[in-house]
Amino acid sequence: MKRFHVHLSVQDLEKSIPFYSTLFGVQPAVHRPDYAKWMLEDPKVNFAISQLGHAPGLDHFGFQVESEQDLHAITGALKDANVAVFDEGETTCCYAKSEKGWVHDPQGIAWESFFTKGESTTYGVGRGEPDAGANAGSNACCGPNDAAAGSCCANGARA
């Protein structure tokens, strides 16, 4: 099963959290000074907002899958369809340890496919926040535009 993922950049996180909590009828599952995430069951959505220096608005869409096999099936199908896929691989991002890949649709909207392996106490390696987990020193937490450029992800530093 897949969970639809939406990530918005917001101007004011502390004003946005009460709005979305009221809209969804539940408090965030993750709440950090620069990030909040709701893991909704009805509808089944992973909805995240952040205040990380990006312009307010849509950051990206995605699918959170339940296994590495599901992730590889999605990225394999996209590659078979000759869609450019950026395999970010194992990374620490959005306060989670994940394996992920990125694509852009014909309009240029970023889509992330990811399998979450566990939680993290930091937003991501490469944001000046070392993570003592297994991913320390691996890829930085790449956003959709970073992944498209390939620059930050290739050398492990976030732009």
Side-chain angles (χ1 to χ4, degrees):
M1 177 181 301
K2 298 177 195 124
R3 180 183 298 267
F4 191 67
H5 172 61
V6 177
H7 186 133
L8 299 178
S9 292
V10 298
Q11 278 186 305
D12 189 325
L13 193 76
E14 294 310 314
K15 286 185 180 177
S16 298
I17 289 172
F19 171 81
Y20 289 111
S21 293
T22 299
L23 180 67
F24 301 141
V26 65
Q27 293 298 309
V30 176
H31 182 187
R32 301 286 193 266
D34 56 358
Y35 179 84
K37 174 175 68 177
W38 291 258
M39 295 295 285
L40 305 174
E41 294 302 320
D42 184 19
K44 196 164 181 85
V45 174
N46 169 339
F47 183 85
I49 61 175
S50 62
Q51 191 174 347
L52 298 163
H54 298 256
L58 174 66
D59 194 80
H60 62 275
F61 289 117
F63 286 108
Q64 180 178 11
V65 297
E66 294 182 352
S67 71
E68 289 182 66
Q69 294 79 14
D70 291 342
L71 177 62
H72 296 207
I74 290 172
T75 56
L78 290 166
K79 288 177 182 177
D80 289 346
N82 292 320
V83 174
V85 177
F86 174 77
D87 283 318
E88 188 171 357
E90 301 228 359
T91 188
T92 298
C93 185
C94 301
Y95 298 98
K97 295 178 188 301
S98 302
E99 181 177 348
K100 61 177 68 182
W102 295 91
V103 298
H104 283 82
D105 73 9
Q107 290 71 237
I109 297 171
W111 284 82
E112 171 189 30
S113 299
F114 62 101
F115 170 61
T116 301
K117 298 178 176 189
E119 295 182 14
S120 173
T121 59
T122 61
Y123 185 85
V125 176
R127 289 184 41 87
E129 304 163 339
D131 189 313
N135 294 355
S138 69
N139 287 347
C141 176
C142 289
N145 294 326
D146 302 327
S151 59
C152 82
C153 303
N155 65 16
R158 185 174 175 82

